[in-house]
Amino acid sequence: MMRNLLLFILALLPLTAFANIYSIPENGGRLVGELQHHVVQKGDYFQTISKQYNIGILELMASNPGVDPFLPTPGTRLLIPTQMLLPDVPHKGVVINLAELRLYFFPKGGKEVHVFPVGIGRVGRETPEMVTRIKSRIPNPSWTPPASIRKEHLEERGEVLPRVVPAGPDNPLGKFAIQLSYGDGSYLIHGTNKDFGIGMRVSAGCIRLNPDDIEWLFDQVRYGDQVTIINETIKTSTEPDGRQLIEVHSPLSTANGGDNTVKELKRGVVEFIRQDDVDYTKANDALLTQAGIPVNIEE
């Protein structure tokens, strides 16, 4: 009786996404997490599934090519990309890899990392790479859209944006904003008032998080904390057990019409693939499929 009551209460609770928290390997490895699987149920689609696992829609699509994201067939077994290589930058503060559409938060102590899906700048309003600091934390922020955004909004939607959007349910910044020191201070890590866009390229350049995620992160960071934004399509790692891992994401499209193929490899990636114990065919397959999950290309 009590068990049935508990199940009934749980069924009434809203589906809340929680951060994916991973232990950082103590042996110097960079592989964290475990891949999961999800069997599609009737009524599932990628938006609901991505919320359940707190991952981005595009990364879910990349790891499950050929599956209709709007009408996946019930019974289909999906691969959930909750395993990854940590970015090859100092594990300090906030790290955002634009190519992954992921934010990594490294609390002091170096034992764990919290990973969140993010929305980033759309084509033509790309989020820049940077190493910067947190300038301020703003609860209940107002939004002052620049003239270019108001002009674009009017042309595309036929709507006039006010010069200032006050805090509240109509504010696209949500309930919390973290201002970065970069440039004139116009770049923010913020929440959203829309049930859409996380894990996609939808913003005017800022970093967008789910409301629960930004609320948690807002309470963790402090003035002066480091924020590193990179755009690394390919991550590699020689793990302590000898595995040669590569993780490939689709390159971001550009305003000049660039496509999503990997055309140039950085020197470090080339040297990694040329190692004697690396299978070139496996490496090439990973570069072509761009599944966004770590692949062992050891020979």
Side-chain angles (χ1 to χ4, degrees):
M1 177 72 176
M2 182 61 69
R3 180 177 181 274
N4 291 336
L5 178 60
L6 177 59
L7 291 174
F8 175 73
I9 293 173
L10 290 174
L12 294 179
L13 294 175
L15 183 62
T16 303
F18 295 93
N20 291 317
I21 307 172
Y22 305 108
S23 297
I24 296 177
E26 297 180 354
N27 57 6
R30 289 174 49 212
L31 182 67
V32 300
E34 298 288 342
L35 293 174
Q36 301 182 65
H37 291 88
H38 176 92
V39 178
V40 174
Q41 307 296 313
K42 184 178 180 180
D44 277 350
Y45 57 104
F46 277 25
Q47 173 79 354
T48 58
I49 297 168
S50 63
K51 278 189 173 183
Q52 180 177 342
Y53 294 94
N54 203 19
I55 59 175
I57 294 177
L58 293 183
E59 62 176 309
L60 184 59
M61 292 173 63
S63 59
N64 295 278
V67 179
D68 188 332
F70 301 104
L71 292 171
T73 304
T76 301
R77 186 176 172 87
L78 300 179
L79 183 62
I80 306 299
T82 46
Q83 185 181 57
M84 63 208 69
L85 295 175
L86 294 176
D88 191 16
V89 295
H91 298 162
K92 182 179 181 181
V94 174
V95 174
I96 297 165
N97 188 359
L98 301 173
E100 295 181 72
L101 293 124
R102 287 181 184 141
L103 182 151
Y104 297 81
F105 175 67
F106 296 91
K108 293 179 180 178
K111 294 184 178 181
E112 64 184 26
V113 58
H114 300 245
V115 183
F116 306 97
V118 296
I120 64 173
R122 59 187 180 271
V123 176
R125 292 193 177 274
E126 290 83 359
T127 304
E129 298 177 59
M130 65 180 82
V131 177
T132 187
R133 301 277 177 182
I134 291 176
K135 183 176 182 179
S136 65
R137 298 157 63 248
I138 311 169
N140 300 310
S142 60
W143 179 44
T144 305
S148 59
I149 296 294
R150 288 189 282 113
K151 180 176 181 292
E152 180 181 283
H153 197 86
L154 178 62
E155 292 175 349
E156 294 182 357
R157 304 186 186 184
E159 300 173 354
V160 178
L161 275 178
R163 293 184 179 274
V164 178
V165 179
D170 296 326
N171 191 315
L173 302 183
K175 296 181 180 180
F176 302 93
I178 299 168
Q179 184 184 29
L180 305 183
S181 295
Y182 180 85
D184 62 0
S186 60
Y187 287 99
L188 307 171
I189 301 172
H190 63 79
T192 179
N193 65 341
K194 297 180 180 178
D195 190 25
F196 177 77
I198 305 302
M200 302 178 70
R201 300 188 65 187
V202 293
S203 80
C206 291
I207 305 295
R208 181 185 299 182
L209 276 79
N210 281 312
D212 291 339
D213 294 344
I214 185 62
E215 182 173 1
W216 183 89
L217 184 65
F218 187 88
D219 288 336
Q220 303 301 313
V221 299
R222 294 294 180 266
Y223 169 82
D225 284 356
Q226 182 168 303
V227 176
T228 304
I229 301 181
I230 61 176
N231 183 16
E232 290 296 332
T233 302
I234 303 171
K235 297 185 291 183
T236 61
S237 176
T238 299
E239 290 294 289
D241 61 6
R243 284 179 296 170
Q244 303 287 6
L245 303 180
I246 188 169
E247 179 183 328
V248 185
H249 297 265
S250 297
L252 300 177
S253 300
T254 59
N256 61 10
D259 58 23
N260 288 340
T261 58
V262 178
K263 293 182 178 179
E264 294 184 7
L265 299 180
K266 292 186 176 181
R267 180 176 179 179
V269 175
V270 173
E271 293 176 349
F272 179 85
I273 293 174
R274 285 179 175 174
Q275 294 179 97
D276 292 338
D277 57 347
V278 165
D279 186 320
Y280 179 78
T281 300
K282 292 179 181 178
N284 190 56
D285 288 344
L287 292 170
L288 291 174
T289 56
Q290 302 173 7
I293 55 176
V295 177
N296 185 8
I297 58 174
E298 184 182 6
E299 192 168 44

